[in-house]
Amino acid sequence: MGGEPLTYSIIARCERTGQLGIAVSTSDVAVGARVPWIRTGVGAVVTQHRTDPRLGLRMLDLMHHGATAGDAVAGARASTPDAAWRQLAAIGLSGPAAVWTGDEVAPDGVSVVVGKDHAVVGNILAGSHVGIAASEAFAETAATPLGERLVRALEAGLSAGGEPDPLRSASLKVHGDQNFPLVDLRVDDHAEPVAELRRLWELYGPAMDEYVRRALMPTTARGVAPGAEDS
């Protein structure tokens, strides 16, 4: 494996439901602990390439106080002397996503695609076509649940060539109306993390609404969620 971790991610807003989500995979361990950040009712952001998690929190704080996605990315850049090493992206409850790639991020293998309701950002990839494939997979599935769309985007990016080094970890986060995650799945160390994330999503996806009911309406919840044991 090479010395520099390689990462690609998608941040998105579901125009049907208002949900916010992120899917990300990398050749390093435990990407879900550092790169993706979501705050219910505010936005979804990623901070990657020699990752500084503080910038993810900084972008969300700025958006919480009314900044657009573009202003939040600009504010995070201005808050650090090391912006040239970072790749940042943000999307809010409305408006377009915003992306920043610093000059110290090797231009070969950078992939950035910004759509009306999502953005794909990657570094040290097989080529810019990786992000294009992920974006197209997301855009083609507008009627599908956001979690499914995000996993499909990761899978499409991997099928398009992904990263030169083997992937090692992956993460899927989705927030809905509540102040806790609707979905928060992590694959911290696995030989095929995107495939493992798919397996976890297929277990959790059918059960996620039941888990919300348990929190909000425990007396009427089923107790056993579809495809999952009671927990």
Side-chain angles (χ1 to χ4, degrees):
M1 181 180 293
E4 189 78 58
L6 328 160
T7 306
Y8 71 104
S9 59
I10 177 169
I11 59 172
R13 176 182 63 241
C14 177
E15 300 291 1
R16 293 184 301 106
T17 65
Q19 293 173 357
L20 298 166
I22 302 171
V24 56
S25 188
T26 189
S27 60
D28 208 350
V29 68
V31 68
R34 301 180 304 280
V35 168
W37 302 88
I38 303 179
R39 192 173 299 171
T40 300
V42 176
V45 305
V46 291
T47 168
Q48 57 194 46
H49 191 273
R50 303 204 179 176
T51 305
D52 183 350
R54 296 171 298 176
L55 299 182
L57 297 171
R58 175 64 174 153
M59 286 186 284
L60 289 177
D61 285 344
L62 290 168
M63 295 170 76
H64 177 75
H65 289 97
T68 64
D71 289 342
V73 170
R77 286 170 48 198
S79 73
T80 174
D82 301 312
W85 291 98
R86 315 303 186 189
Q87 190 172 50
L88 308 174
I91 192 166
L93 300 181
S94 61
V99 174
W100 158 259
T101 300
D103 291 341
E104 293 293 341
V105 182
D108 293 340
V110 165
S111 187
V112 172
V113 182
V114 179
K116 67 181 181 66
D117 57 357
H118 71 282
V120 181
V121 288
N123 55 79
I124 321 179
L125 302 178
S128 60
H129 59 281
V130 173
I132 294 170
S135 176
E136 289 177 346
F138 181 83
E140 290 168 356
T141 54
T144 305
L146 182 58
E148 175 67 19
R149 300 176 72 191
L150 292 168
V151 174
R152 289 189 191 183
L154 281 192
E155 291 170 335
L158 181 60
S159 294
E163 307 177 7
D165 285 357
L167 295 176
R168 188 172 177 185
S169 64
S171 173
L172 172 67
K173 295 179 182 288
V174 177
H175 280 225
D177 297 331
Q178 305 304 318
N179 62 357
F180 55 83
L182 183 61
V183 180
D184 189 358
L185 301 178
R186 281 173 46 173
V187 179
D188 284 345
D189 187 17
H190 197 278
E192 296 182 356
V194 174
E196 178 64 6
L197 189 66
R198 161 61 69 185
R199 186 186 72 83
L200 293 175
W201 163 246
E202 290 185 353
L203 286 175
Y204 198 90
M208 63 182 183
D209 290 335
E210 170 63 17
Y211 293 139
V212 174
R213 279 191 293 272
R214 291 183 192 183
L216 304 183
M217 299 175 290
T219 60
T220 60
R222 293 181 58 222
V224 178
E229 296 296 327
D230 193 17
S231 61

